Amino acid sequence: MPSARTSKTTSAAQFVPSGEDWAALRSAASGCRGCELYEDATQTVFGEGPVPARLMMVGECPGDREDTDGHVFVGPAGRLLDKALAAAGVDRSKTYLTNAVKHFRFVERGKRRIHQTPRRGEVVACFPWLREEIRVVKPRLVVCLGAVAAKALLGPSFKLTEHRGEVLEHEGLRIGVTVHPSAVVRAENFTESFDAFVADLKALAKKR
């Protein structure tokens, strides 16, 4: 069971091979010990998709299903993302998907593992992997799904609610922002939230 210990995050930088291709990065990531999340997670969940890709999407961190299966966006949020991408006319098979943090952060409640939002220190510690994924994928547009991903790339003071659906230029990257699909799954008015999410994806996809 994950403990209530104080986070002692350092950095994944020492585990990231310099200038390598995607396959080498994914292989190296499986042994990452850059923060303490690896101690309780089942495995590293690295990004997946075509390399290079015009469109790259960045979420928060793996969920329970992703942690078990070792693949990104295969749980409830991933299934909703699939539906939203299809509705927006975006081909998932041509999109590179990853997360800002590569290990599952959770607390145990009985037999269930309940997802927890990554700490800022864990996001910063894992950033070297995301930076290298961007280098090898060479996306024309990076879409941040949710505040954790947006703050990973645009800084901790970034407010997603003020820029949702927009594309921003930052450090040579074109970065679009919208909500995380899990927020749509949990929304009180599902239909309204889903439609707004699809509208964001359509608008952002046009700017690839």
Side-chain angles (χ1 to χ4, degrees), residues 24-36:
L25 290 170
R26 184 183 187 188
S27 178
S30 66
C32 186
R33 304 291 183 265
C35 79
E36 66 183 20

Side-chain angles (χ1 to χ4, degrees), residues 8 19 27 55 65 94 115 125 134 146-147 153 155 173 192 207:
K8 297 179 180 178
S27 178
L55 179 62
R65 177 73 182 277
K94 295 181 180 178
H115 163 270
I134 291 172
L153 286 171
L173 290 175
E192 181 180 320
K207 300 176 182 179

Side-chain angles (χ1 to χ4, degrees), residues 110-208:
K111 295 182 179 180
R112 298 180 63 203
R113 300 192 302 171
I114 307 301
H115 163 270
Q116 297 285 290
T117 301
R119 302 177 182 95
R120 177 65 186 171
E122 291 154 353
V123 175
V124 172
C126 206
F127 185 73
W129 292 116
L130 181 57
R131 183 180 60 229
E132 287 300 290
E133 285 179 290
I134 291 172
R135 178 184 63 81
V136 298
V137 174
K138 299 179 175 63
R140 292 188 61 179
L141 177 67
V142 179
V143 172
C144 293
L145 302 171
V148 170
K151 290 179 179 181
L153 286 171
L154 294 164
S157 64
F158 182 79
K159 292 180 172 58
L160 186 149
T161 53
E162 295 179 3
H163 298 281
R164 178 175 173 175
E166 296 180 11
V167 172
L168 308 167
E169 301 277 347
H170 182 73
E171 296 185 354
L173 290 175
R174 297 175 66 250
I175 301 172
V177 292
T178 185
V179 297
H180 193 280
S182 63
V184 181
V185 172
R186 299 190 303 267
E188 290 185 13
N189 190 326
F190 175 81
T191 301
E192 181 180 320
S193 296
F194 181 79
D195 290 346
F197 184 46
V198 170
D200 283 351
L201 295 177
K202 281 183 178 178
L204 293 172
K206 289 178 181 178
K207 300 176 182 179
R208 282 176 288 182

